[in-house]
Amino acid sequence: MASHNPSRAKSGDGRLALLLLALPLGLLAATLVVPMISAVNISLHDIRVIGSEGPFSGLDNYARVLTAGSFWHALGVSALWVVGNALVQTVLAVLAALVLNEKFPGVRIARIWIILTWIIPTVVVVIIWRWMLSPSGGMINPFLISIGLIDRPIGFFSSGPMALASLILINSWRWFPFVAIMLLAGLQRIPADLYEAAAVDGAGPIARFRAITWPLLQPTLLVLTVMGTLLSFNVFDIIWLLTAGGPAGASETLPVLIYETAFKAYRMGDAAAMSVVASLMMIGLAILLIDRLAPKETGR
């Protein structure tokens, strides 16, 4: 009778795991590491147009970028953009997830329909919202006038703060269903016995949410916070299609500035330097968020 060797079986499983991981890790390296190395190389040269050659300039591009007021302005707008999206999306997603977690007629249909705003193409989203927010012919201005909030049509993209706020609401409208579905999955993993025990003890809905729902959603919220921050920071399409960074740079986030620097000002070296700096900032922010938001183990 053949003997079974546990250590040999574990070794074989380990080699199989490495073999299975080799392809995805190779693809990740090809699509992430290689372009990043190329960006660093471009950032060290004075390249004007993509695909052309340029003399080695060392850290001159980084010095020029980090001393430019446009870079810090775009970084500040990006910070407002990320924080605004995080707050609006989280509030809308939590409320939607709590509603969809309840049992009521048509809940299955509601869970399907809520995801439609996320799968609609960006161009379609832009067309819909540009028409709805139009000062002439749109439906938002007449509605606000009818309920007495405004007395005449306003241009949602004509002033700086209004344009940025409108973009945040549009982007949050598109992305909060995805966050809501992720939170709904987290809610459905919470044992119903906990809510029943809390109800027996006299805890109301708000107390149950604070004592059970919110703490047990922390792991899911951690992942969504990190992912949402990185994804929101890199949003380019909605901003560019609706305002192109205007008016007067009020909605010019860092990705928009990088695009304009590379393909309108023809300073590819400067754009690459901005990209490298932004990538390092995002990596640092992700590490900070994971460290601050991750549940801390308490010693016994």
Side-chain angles (χ1 to χ4, degrees), residues 138-158:
M139 59 183 299
I140 300 298
N141 272 305
F143 172 74
L144 295 178
I145 293 175
S146 66
I147 62 177
L149 287 182
I150 58 176
D151 55 2
R152 62 177 181 273
I154 59 176
F156 287 93
F157 302 115
S158 59

Side-chain angles (χ1 to χ4, degrees), residues 86-117:
L87 292 175
V88 176
Q89 289 181 32
T90 300
V91 172
L92 293 178
V94 169
L95 293 175
L98 291 174
V99 172
L100 294 177
N101 194 43
E102 299 296 325
K103 295 181 180 180
F104 57 88
V107 64
R108 292 182 179 272
I109 298 177
R111 291 174 182 175
I112 296 174
W113 277 88
I114 191 176
I115 205 67
L116 289 180
T117 59

Side-chain angles (χ1 to χ4, degrees), residues 43-118:
S43 71
L44 298 175
H45 292 77
D46 185 16
I47 297 176
R48 297 291 176 173
V49 181
I50 188 170
S52 63
E53 299 293 333
F56 180 79
S57 59
L59 299 178
D60 290 348
N61 292 333
Y62 289 93
R64 184 164 49 251
V65 164
L66 294 176
T67 56
S70 58
F71 174 82
W72 296 106
H73 169 76
L75 185 61
V77 174
S78 294
L80 293 174
W81 167 261
V82 169
V83 173
N85 275 280
L87 292 175
V88 176
Q89 289 181 32
T90 300
V91 172
L92 293 178
V94 169
L95 293 175
L98 291 174
V99 172
L100 294 177
N101 194 43
E102 299 296 325
K103 295 181 180 180
F104 57 88
V107 64
R108 292 182 179 272
I109 298 177
R111 291 174 182 175
I112 296 174
W113 277 88
I114 191 176
I115 205 67
L116 289 180
T117 59
W118 178 60

Side-chain angles (χ1 to χ4, degrees), residues 169-202:
L169 291 175
I170 294 171
N171 190 65
S172 298
W173 172 85
R174 187 189 182 194
W175 283 98
F176 92 87
F178 172 77
V179 181
I181 294 299
M182 296 298 103
L183 291 177
L184 178 61
L187 286 174
Q188 293 182 339
R189 289 197 301 267
I190 300 176
D193 297 344
L194 296 178
Y195 291 107
E196 294 173 1
V200 171
D201 291 338

Side-chain angles (χ1 to χ4, degrees), residues 23 79 87 128 138 187 263 274:
L23 180 59
L87 292 175
I128 291 173
L187 286 174
F263 301 108
M274 292 182 193

